Amino acid sequence: MRAGLLKFSVVVILLGMLWSSEVWAEEKSVTSVGTDGETQPSEEKTIQVSQREWLAIQSDLSEIKNQMKKEKEKADQKKKEDEEKKFHSPQTKLGGQILWDACGGWGDTAQEAAWGNDFASGTQCRQAWLWARGTIYDMIEYNLTYDFAGGGAFRDVYIGLKNLPNGIYVKAGHFKEPWSMEELTMVNSSTFMEKSDVNSRKSFVGGRQNGLMLCNWETMDRLGWAVGVFSASQKDGSLNSFYSDATHMAVTTRVHYLPFYEQCPDGRLYMWHLGASYTYRKYDREHAADYGTAMSFRPASGIAPAILNTGNLTGLDSLNGFLMETSWIRGSFSIDAEQAFYFMEDVQAGDVTTQAGFVQASWILTGESRNYVKQGGWFGKITPNNPFIRTCKEGMGVFSGPGAWELCYRFSWNDIGELVPGYDSASTKLGKSFINTIGLNWYWNKNARIMFNYAVAKTEYAGRLAGTEGWTNLFETRFQVTF
């Protein structure tokens, strides 16, 4: 390539010399000014070059063009080979997130009596995730996520097949069931520090389980669906399966639809989401403790003690669960609501119904819209229009804007009182709870935010604690970074 450029430069210099010495064959018209002030054409001169010199120049130019063509073909071939190699090799991305929480609060005398102690304050690393995600052939997808907090546990561990001819996505491994918009939204994108009691049954229904799922989330437009077969219950973070003569399996399905959806050029979103989920679960009663078939509910906090808990549901035979969900967004304002019913057949408590739900509102004061993920029907992280921390130059941070500020409120409810006949004991707390939570979130940029929550929980106990009405007040904050 360098030799070709050198030859080309020599030819250009030669042409310039021929032009300046009037050896190049051309006709040139020169004008001059006459005595009357008018311009008059001068004599035209014709300059010729020998045929041998002309042919030599043409030959050099042709050789240069051929060399440049070969170099371009060689470069294109190398680029194609690199792209093929990249396509056939695993493309892995490493990432993670750190969530650090602090909580302070108190319960009234009745609540402290139910707890058996007086809760004051605490801190914890809520999550310390590290993940490796990638694809092979742009069809095989994989995810390996480990949480180093709380003694360590695996989270998402699965293999998926996407871009199939029929548009169906297939996933196998350990991952979330298709249940609830709130549950499918990752914690790093949730509006509040903790999810509602609808999704505090994670080892019991709706959380991460071993399973196989089919869905159209990769290709959907307005209507999405998913269906899968899963373990009926599993301890949070466990990948283990237990084998016995009893069935321990669940079938879970979810559909969601967008009656309207409009994304404006400035990023503002206007949409209405409707969804419903159903699950049928058959439990292995003999291994209830091994599978973690139990429910426990904290007052909108990962640090405070549980205000309701069932212990191991050793008599639970089967369950039918129904959930309805909706989300409405108009620019920077949004409303979400979910309601779930669980119809349980239990050999100790009989046929009982438990239920939980919530309604929440969010207003992003700086004008951004929440990030709705159309493929799947859940929410992603909010991206501030004017990040608070944008970059760092010469060792000094550049603070370019206010970030994004979000004000939010949620009211949630939960009722497991009908389990009293089979599970009322000194180690359980059964009844109803009602929780009001106010939140303020400050998004520094897409990958960092600070959260402030204040929660007031009222618990109406049943069974041995009947007549007890406890109140809990909690102040919480979270520092969050994803990378």
Side-chain angles (χ1 to χ4, degrees), residues 4 7-8 11 14-15 51-67:
K7 280 191 174 184
F8 182 75
V11 171
L14 179 60
L15 291 176
Q51 184 178 10
R52 186 180 64 182
E53 292 175 323
W54 174 253
L55 292 176
I57 293 172
Q58 291 293 320
S59 177
D60 289 342
L61 288 174
S62 178
E63 184 180 351
I64 292 173
K65 288 180 179 179
N66 289 334
Q67 288 182 355

Side-chain angles (χ1 to χ4, degrees), residues 111-421:
Q111 186 60 64
E112 290 179 355
W115 278 337
N117 58 57
D118 53 341
F119 169 71
S121 62
T123 63
Q124 72 169 357
C125 181
R126 180 66 172 80
Q127 290 184 353
W129 287 17
L130 183 64
W131 60 65
R133 303 168 178 170
T135 59
I136 304 174
Y137 299 114
D138 202 30
M139 286 188 65
I140 303 172
E141 185 179 61
Y142 53 89
N143 187 332
L144 176 63
T145 302
Y146 190 82
D147 186 1
F148 292 88
F154 284 101
R155 298 305 176 189
D156 291 316
V157 182
Y158 64 80
I159 298 171
L161 290 176
K162 62 179 185 177
N163 295 328
L164 297 176
N166 54 11
I168 294 178
Y169 175 78
V170 181
K171 182 188 288 188
H174 185 76
F175 54 92
K176 288 184 177 181
E177 297 179 58
W179 174 270
S180 167
M181 169 187 276
E182 184 195 41
E183 176 60 22
L184 291 173
T185 298
M186 289 186 64
V187 173
N188 62 26
S189 305
S190 296
T191 303
F192 295 90
M193 289 177 57
E194 298 297 333
K195 296 180 179 179
S196 72
D197 285 342
V198 173
N199 295 299
S200 295
R201 296 164 163 83
K202 293 180 181 179
S203 62
F204 172 72
V205 58
R208 289 179 172 87
Q209 316 283 354
N210 291 347
L212 173 69
M213 184 182 76
L214 283 75
C215 68
N216 74 333
W217 291 348
E218 295 291 318
T219 58
M220 65 154 288
D221 181 30
R222 291 296 182 95
L223 178 65
W225 59 266
V227 60
V229 179
F230 300 89
S231 172
S233 63
Q234 231 171 315
K235 287 186 176 180
D236 190 30
S238 172
L239 302 182
N240 297 328
S241 293
F242 301 91
Y243 299 93
S244 67
D245 296 333
T247 301
H248 191 75
M249 187 178 69
V251 176
T252 304
T253 184
R254 176 176 180 254
V255 294
H256 64 279
Y257 177 68
L258 294 173
F260 68 84
Y261 179 92
E262 180 182 359
Q263 184 85 50
C264 298
D266 62 359
R268 294 172 69 84
L269 177 63
Y270 299 84
M271 76 95 184
W272 183 22
H273 165 107
L274 294 172
S277 300
Y278 168 74
T279 183
Y280 173 76
R281 316 179 85 83
K282 182 71 174 177
Y283 295 92
D284 178 0
R285 300 197 307 270
E286 182 182 351
H287 296 90
D290 297 326
Y291 283 116
T293 309
M295 292 184 284
S296 180
F297 305 96
R298 299 173 185 267
S301 169
I303 298 176
I307 54 177
L308 294 173
N309 72 286
T310 64
N312 294 318
L313 298 172
T314 54
L316 182 59
D317 183 71
S318 64
L319 175 146
N320 284 275
F322 298 89
L323 180 141
M324 298 166 288
E325 63 187 42
T326 187
S327 179
W328 179 82
I329 298 179
R330 183 173 179 81
S332 58
F333 183 76
S334 67
I335 296 176
D336 300 347
E338 293 189 7
Q339 174 66 54
F341 295 95
Y342 309 90
F343 302 97
M344 306 164 64
E345 294 183 5
D346 191 288
V347 297
Q348 296 176 197
D351 293 343
V352 301
T353 300
T354 64
Q355 58 103 359
F358 74 87
V359 60
Q360 70 179 46
S362 164
W363 179 27
I364 303 178
L365 307 177
T366 45
E368 294 85 351
S369 291
R370 293 170 70 192
N371 179 19
Y372 178 76
V373 180
K374 201 173 182 182
Q375 285 69 32
W378 57 72
F379 287 102
K381 293 180 291 185
I382 292 174
T383 301
N385 293 331
N386 296 294
F388 174 64
I389 298 178
R390 187 185 298 270
T391 186
C392 186
K393 294 182 178 179
E394 298 179 356
M396 295 294 292
V398 177
F399 305 99
S400 60
W405 290 81
E406 180 182 27
L407 184 64
C408 47
Y409 167 77
R410 181 179 69 196
F411 176 68
S412 63
W413 55 92
N414 184 28
D415 183 0
I416 58 172
E418 290 190 17
L419 290 170
V420 166

